[in-house]
Amino acid sequence: MTSNIEKKLKMVQPKPLTQAEKNILWAKIEKGIKGDIQQHSYFPQLSILFGLRPRFVFASLLIVVLVGGSAATIVASDDANPGDILYPIDIAAEKVQLAFSTNKRKGTLRIQFAEERLHEAKIVLASAESDDFDVSDEATITVPAEQRKPKKFNFKGMKKASTALITVLENLEQAKNILEEEGNMVAMLSIDSIIEELTELAEDHVSDLDDFETEIEDNGGKKLEIKASRNKLKAKFKFDLKKRNQEEEVEEEEVEIEIESEAEDNNENNNGNGNQGSEQGQEKITICHIPPGNPYAAHTIRIGKPAVQAHLVHGDTLGSCQGNQEGDDDTATSTPDTTAPVISNIASNVFTTTTEINWDTDEPSDSRVWYSTTTPLVILDTTLSVISTDLVTNHTVSLSDLTASTTYYFIVTSVDAAGNQATSTESSFLTLTEEAQEPEDTTPPTLSDIAATSTTATSTIIFWKTDEQATSQVWYGSSTPLTISTSTSLVENSDLVLDHSLQLTELTASSTYYYIVSSVDESGNSAVSSEFFFTTLSE
Amino acid sequence: MGQKSREDFKILVERAQNGSKDAFRDIFDRLSNRFFAYIFSRTSNRDDALDITQEIFIELWNALNKFQYRSDEAFYGFIFTITKRKLFRYYKDKHKIVSLHEGHIRQAELKQEDHRFLLKQLDALGQKYQDLLRLRYWSGMTFSEIAAVLNITETTAKVRHHRALQKLKINLKKENCDF
C-alpha cells in the first residue's frame, strides 16, 4: 500500500491539461513549426552546420549564388535529385534563369526543366533498388515470374522515391499552371505529356510499394510509413482509372466474370477436403481488386495465376488491400498459427512499492502479469493482474501500490494475435525496505584543465572540468596569496555540470588577478584548487 | 504512465526526426501533461506554464536532429534540458518567486486547509527535493526516468526521494499535522 503521504502528494498535484488546452497548445505549436516542415527533410545537416533556421540557410545560399559567389555550388547542385540536400538550390537557380530570360525562351526553358525533373525522378526510383543501405532494410520481393524478375528494395530508398515523385509532380503541375496563365498552350501540352510519363512511373512505384510492404520485416512503423506513402501517391496522382474505364469497361466485365467463376470452381474442388482456400490444385495469388470507377470498394481476393495478368492490367495491385474491407477473402492466410509464443529472459526491477517485470517473446504478443503475496500462485478471477494489449516482443509491465519488504509471487502470460497463450512458471521478488541503502559519496570532485580564456581589458572567462557533476565557484582578487573570506570577490553557479565556465567582469585593465576555483558535488564534497592568475589586456 | 512498449516510442521519435508531424503530435499527446505538471509547479501562473510548454515543444521540434535515441528516459532528459533552459529564462525575465497555488485542486477529497498546507510544506523543502517529489508524483516518472531527466544515478534518485519524504514528514509533524 502506498504510504499516506505519497497518496496525499499525488492528490495535491496541479490540474492536468484539459483536452481543450491540449488542442489549443497543439495548434500553436503546429503554427510555430509549420514553416519548417518542407525544409526539414532537405536541410537537416545544413541547418546544424550553420546553426540557423532552414529558411535562412536557403536564403543566404541563394544570395551567395546571385552575387556570383559560387558557380561551383550550382554546378554541384545540378546533379541533385529531388530529396537531396542541394535540390532546392537547383530549383532556385532555375528560377533565376527563368527570371532573366525572354518570354519566348521561358516556355522552352520550362519544358527543359520539366524533362530534367522527370529524369531525376527516374534516377531516384532506380536508386531505391540499390543496396547501399542496411541489410536489415532490404526486402527481396519474389513475384510470379511472368510479371517481373525479383527486385531488391531498401526502405530509405523507397521513402525517398515516394517523396521525390510527389515533389516532382508538384513542380510540374506548377509549371503547367504558369504556362496556362501565360497562354503558352503548346508548351503546356508538352508538360502534360511529361506528367503522364511521371504518372506511369508513379503507378509502377505504387505497385512496388505494395509488394515491399508485404515482404518487409514488420516493426509497425515501417509498414505504416509505406502505407502512408502509397496513399499520398494515390491521392496526388489520381491514377487514371476513369480514363481506362471508358475504354475498357466491357472487356473488363467479361474478364471479371471469367476470373470469379474460376475462383469459385477452385473452391468447389477443394470443399471436399475441408481445406479453406486452396493449397491443392492451382497456385492462388492474393491481389487487391479495385473495381473500375469505384476504388472505395477495393477488396482482397485470391485468384489463379493466369488471371493475375488481366487484373493487373486494369489497375489491381499485388498483395492484399490495406485493412479489412467487406468482401475480403479472410481466409487469405495459408497456414493457421497454432504455436504459442516462447517466453524468455524474465527479469524484475524491484523498488519499495513498485516493480517492473520484463520479458521477451519470440513473436509479437500481449503482456500480462499475475501476482499475489501467497504461494503457490493459482490464477483465479480474483487474482490481481496488470495487462497491456499491445503486441510486442519486448515486454514491460509495471506493478504499483505494492507493500514494501514483501515477497510477491508472479506468473507472466503472453497471447499472440492468433490467440495462442504462453504461461511462465512461478517466480518471485522481494520489495525493498522503506529505508533505502545510503551510498556514501565521500569523494570530492577532481578539478582539471583550469584556465583563464578570452581575456579582454575588463573581463575574462575561467574554465575548468570536473570528473563528476558539481557546482562552480571562482574567488578572485588583486593580491597574492589570495585569502578567501566573506569579502573576497566571488562568482558562482549552482548548476551541476562537468564543464565549468564563469565570467569575471568589471575588471581593471592591465592588471594581474589571482583566482581560486572550487566545485562541490551533490553530496556536498568540495574540491578547491590552488591559486592561479591572469593579466587583463591594456585599454 | 502508459504501458506502451519501448519500441513504440523509439519509432515515434525516429519518425518525428524524419519530419512526421503526426508522430510529433503523438509524442506531444503522451508527454505534454507530464512536463506541464512540473512546469506549472515552477511558475505560479497557468497561462505562463502553457506558454512555456508550447515553446518547449517548438524548440524540441527544431532540435530533434541533434538527438540520438538511446532510450525513452534519455529523450525525457533531453526535453528536460530544454525545459530548464526555458524556466531559467522565465525567471530572469519575471523575477518570480514560486508561491502558493490557489484553487487548482485535482481531487476535492483532501480538505482545502490540508491541501494548502501540504503544498506550503512542499515549497519549503529545498529545490532539489521539491523537484524530485514533483517529478515522481505529478509527472508520474519512474526512478530511472527521473535519473535521466535530472542527470543523476538511479540510486541517488531513490535516496533523494526517500530523504525528501522524510524531511516532509518531519516538517509536517513539527506543525502537528497528521499525515
Side-chain angles (χ1 to χ4, degrees):
Chain A
M1 247 155 314
T2 331
S3 74
N4 237 354
I5 195 168
E6 286 176 289
K7 278 198 190 131
K8 297 231 160 99
L9 275 170
K10 275 194 201 162
M11 276 197 256
V12 298
Q13 69 179 275
K15 189 175 101 175
L17 288 168
T18 61
Q19 191 55 47
E21 281 174 324
K22 269 193 186 174
N23 291 339
I24 296 173
L25 214 49
W26 176 253
K28 289 189 183 164
I29 290 170
E30 219 179 330
K31 211 164 126 195
I33 67 181
K34 200 172 180 188
D36 294 340
I37 290 175
Q38 267 304 321
Q39 284 92 322
H40 211 84
S41 37
Y42 292 145
F43 284 104
Q45 288 120 27
L46 268 181
S47 55
I48 289 177
L49 196 61
F50 286 80
L52 294 169
R53 294 286 215 88
R55 227 168 297 163
F56 294 136
V57 179
F58 183 91
S60 51
L61 282 173
L62 189 55
I63 289 170
V64 166
V65 160
L66 282 176
V67 175
S70 34
T73 318
I74 299 195
V75 169
S77 71
D78 214 24
D79 282 334
N81 297 316
D84 287 353
I85 287 177
L86 292 174
Y87 181 72
I89 301 178
D90 229 356
I91 302 284
E94 287 179 1
K95 284 191 180 159
V96 169
Q97 259 183 287
L98 283 166
F100 287 127
S101 57
T102 62
N103 274 341
K104 204 170 167 194
R105 176 124 170 82
K106 272 185 192 172
T108 322
L109 267 181
R110 288 197 203 279
I111 296 173
Q112 185 186 321
F113 293 149
E115 278 175 335
E116 273 175 46
R117 288 289 93 68
L118 180 69
H119 176 66
E120 286 157 8
K122 286 183 185 167
I123 294 175
V124 177
L125 282 169
S127 55
E129 276 185 60
S130 79
D131 43 14
D132 292 347
F133 300 94
D134 253 356
V135 180
S136 58
D137 261 348
E138 288 178 357
T140 312
I141 299 172
T142 40
V143 157
E146 302 151 25
Q147 208 46 30
R148 59 188 97 167
K149 34 190 201 303
K151 282 183 185 175
K152 239 186 177 178
F153 293 99
N154 67 77
F155 182 69
K156 278 187 186 147
M158 289 299 265
K159 263 182 67 184
K160 201 173 168 188
S162 304
T163 319
L165 282 167
I166 292 175
T167 311
V168 171
L169 179 71
E170 284 171 354
N171 194 281
L172 292 180
E173 282 178 352
Q174 205 179 53
K176 186 176 151 187
N177 287 336
I178 294 176
L179 286 171
E180 211 180 317
E181 275 174 50
E182 289 177 349
N184 193 339
M185 287 310 170
V186 172
M188 197 193 90
L189 288 173
S190 302
I191 303 275
D192 238 355
S193 62
I194 295 176
I195 292 181
E196 251 184 26
E197 209 182 329
L198 185 73
T199 311
E200 273 176 28
L201 288 177
E203 283 173 5
D204 284 340
H205 182 66
V206 166
S207 181
D208 286 344
L209 280 176
D210 283 338
D211 302 342
F212 188 56
E213 195 210 327
T214 51
E215 295 296 330
I216 195 174
E217 279 293 306
D218 182 15
N219 62 3
K222 284 187 179 166
K223 288 213 185 206
L224 280 172
E225 283 185 89
I226 293 184
K227 277 186 182 150
S229 295
R230 190 182 51 214
N231 288 342
K232 211 170 171 194
L233 282 165
K234 281 186 179 168
K236 278 271 174 181
F237 276 90
K238 306 178 183 77
F239 292 124
D240 244 342
L241 299 166
K242 206 173 167 197
K243 183 171 152 204
R244 287 213 208 86
N245 289 345
Q246 288 157 2
E247 292 168 12
E248 303 169 12
E249 228 169 25
V250 177
E251 201 182 321
E252 276 163 353
E253 274 178 14
E254 289 174 353
V255 169
E256 261 179 63
I257 296 169
E258 193 187 327
I259 288 165
E260 260 143 34
S261 63
E262 207 175 37
E264 272 175 353
D265 282 342
N266 283 315
N267 278 338
E268 278 170 7
N269 284 341
N270 293 320
N271 262 351
N273 301 337
N275 242 356
Q276 294 273 0
S278 50
E279 263 57 60
Q280 298 152 353
Q282 242 175 26
E283 188 184 313
K284 290 283 185 177
I285 308 295
T286 307
I287 64 162
C288 179
H289 174 63
I290 305 169
N294 193 1
Y296 292 101
H299 54 273
T300 309
I301 61 173
R302 301 179 73 232
I303 55 173
K305 225 162 127 179
V308 171
Q309 184 82 359
H311 269 273
L312 292 174
V313 157
H314 79 231
D316 291 352
T317 55
L318 288 166
S320 55
C321 304
Q322 75 239 74
N324 238 350
Q325 323 267 356
E326 271 197 335
D328 251 5
D329 177 14
D330 282 329
T331 58
T333 45
S334 39
T335 30
D337 173 15
T338 52
T339 329
V342 175
I343 294 176
S344 60
N345 299 335
I346 301 179
S348 45
N349 237 345
V350 187
F351 305 117
T352 45
T353 57
T354 59
T355 295
E356 249 176 34
I357 310 285
N358 301 299
W359 71 98
D360 298 324
T361 47
D362 62 338
E363 57 165 321
S365 45
D366 73 10
S367 323
R368 190 164 194 170
V369 176
W370 304 86
Y371 63 104
S372 162
T373 47
T374 55
T375 181
L377 177 58
V378 175
I379 297 175
L380 308 166
D381 282 340
T382 51
T383 313
L384 290 170
S385 77
V386 176
I387 186 170
S388 164
T389 51
D390 294 338
L391 297 175
V392 294
T393 53
N394 302 112
H395 306 256
T396 304
V397 170
S398 292
L399 310 178
S400 50
D401 284 340
L402 306 176
T403 316
S405 317
T406 311
T407 305
Y408 284 85
Y409 304 89
F410 70 96
I411 287 174
V412 317
T413 63
S414 281
V415 181
D416 67 18
N420 305 300
Q421 170 166 325
T423 310
S424 74
T425 50
E426 188 182 293
S427 295
S428 68
F429 59 84
L430 169 62
T431 48
L432 299 178
T433 55
E434 292 279 4
E435 300 293 314
Q437 302 289 325
E438 295 205 2
E440 290 276 323
D441 172 16
T442 50
T443 328
T446 308
L447 308 169
S448 63
D449 298 335
I450 303 173
T453 63
S454 310
T455 308
T456 66
T458 56
S459 71
T460 187
I461 301 179
I462 309 290
F463 274 113
W464 72 98
K465 293 189 180 174
T466 46
D467 62 339
E468 55 168 325
Q469 307 272 340
T471 61
S472 320
Q473 287 94 35
V474 175
W475 286 272
Y476 60 104
S478 343
S479 56
T480 182
L482 183 66
T483 47
I484 296 174
S485 68
T486 47
S487 56
T488 318
S489 302
L490 165 68
V491 176
E492 63 182 331
N493 186 328
S494 59
D495 283 348
L496 294 168
V497 293
L498 296 173
D499 295 306
H500 308 257
S501 70
L502 289 178
Q503 190 181 39
L504 312 181
T505 55
E506 288 172 29
L507 305 173
T508 316
S510 311
S511 310
T512 302
Y513 286 86
Y514 303 87
Y515 67 97
I516 291 175
V517 314
S518 164
S519 287
V520 184
D521 69 16
E522 271 173 311
S523 314
N525 306 301
S526 65
V528 180
S529 75
S530 49
E531 192 178 285
F532 294 86
F533 70 91
F534 64 89
T535 308
T536 50
L537 304 177
S538 52
E539 296 255 311
Chain B
M1 208 179 29
Q3 298 280 9
K4 301 267 182 192
S5 84
R6 290 196 190 99
E7 281 174 67
D8 231 5
F9 203 75
K10 175 177 183 185
I11 291 163
L12 271 184
V13 172
E14 284 172 3
R15 280 175 57 207
Q17 282 174 314
N18 282 328
S20 165
K21 219 173 34 155
D22 286 332
F24 192 64
R25 172 85 205 246
D26 219 322
I27 293 173
F28 168 77
D29 279 336
R30 291 191 202 194
L31 298 185
S32 56
N33 200 39
R34 300 175 78 179
F35 284 95
F36 176 77
Y38 177 76
I39 294 164
F40 186 26
S41 66
R42 296 288 304 277
T43 64
S44 47
N45 178 323
R46 200 171 176 90
D47 279 330
D48 284 348
L50 288 170
D51 281 341
I52 293 176
T53 309
Q54 170 193 333
E55 282 172 41
I56 287 169
F57 276 91
I58 293 178
E59 186 165 325
L60 176 64
W61 172 265
N62 291 328
L64 272 177
N65 291 301
K66 297 188 188 142
F67 176 74
Q68 174 86 10
Y69 182 91
R70 294 186 309 280
S71 65
D72 286 4
E73 291 86 345
F75 189 64
Y76 305 151
F78 186 65
I79 303 180
F80 198 67
T81 314
I82 301 176
T83 306
K84 273 199 291 199
R85 221 185 3 248
K86 295 277 176 201
L87 283 171
F88 181 70
R89 223 174 295 158
Y90 173 77
Y91 288 131
K92 255 179 74 180
D93 293 338
K94 301 235 169 176
H95 300 292
K96 278 235 162 118
I97 305 165
V98 180
S99 57
L100 298 176
H101 307 288
E102 308 282 339
H104 60 244
I105 307 172
R106 186 172 199 212
Q107 288 169 4
E109 284 156 39
L110 201 54
K111 275 198 289 207
Q112 185 81 328
E113 306 92 65
D114 283 353
H115 167 89
R116 215 173 292 172
F117 187 72
L118 180 56
L119 281 175
K120 189 171 171 199
Q121 291 306 318
L122 181 63
D123 280 344
L125 297 176
Q127 189 62 56
K128 275 206 194 133
Y129 287 159
Q130 277 183 57
D131 274 359
L132 205 116
L133 293 180
R134 286 184 187 128
L135 289 174
R136 179 111 176 109
Y137 297 106
W138 296 359
S139 294
M141 293 195 178
T142 63
F143 283 118
S144 71
E145 288 168 347
I146 292 174
V149 158
L150 295 179
N151 228 324
I152 54 181
T153 64
E154 198 175 315
T155 326
T156 308
K158 291 188 211 167
V159 168
R160 208 181 279 177
H161 165 257
H162 173 74
R163 288 182 184 159
L165 280 183
Q166 291 300 90
K167 190 160 180 212
L168 190 60
K169 280 187 199 163
I170 290 169
N171 289 352
L172 289 167
K173 236 186 219 156
K174 265 193 218 162
E175 310 280 336
N176 267 329
C177 215
D178 190 9
F179 278 103

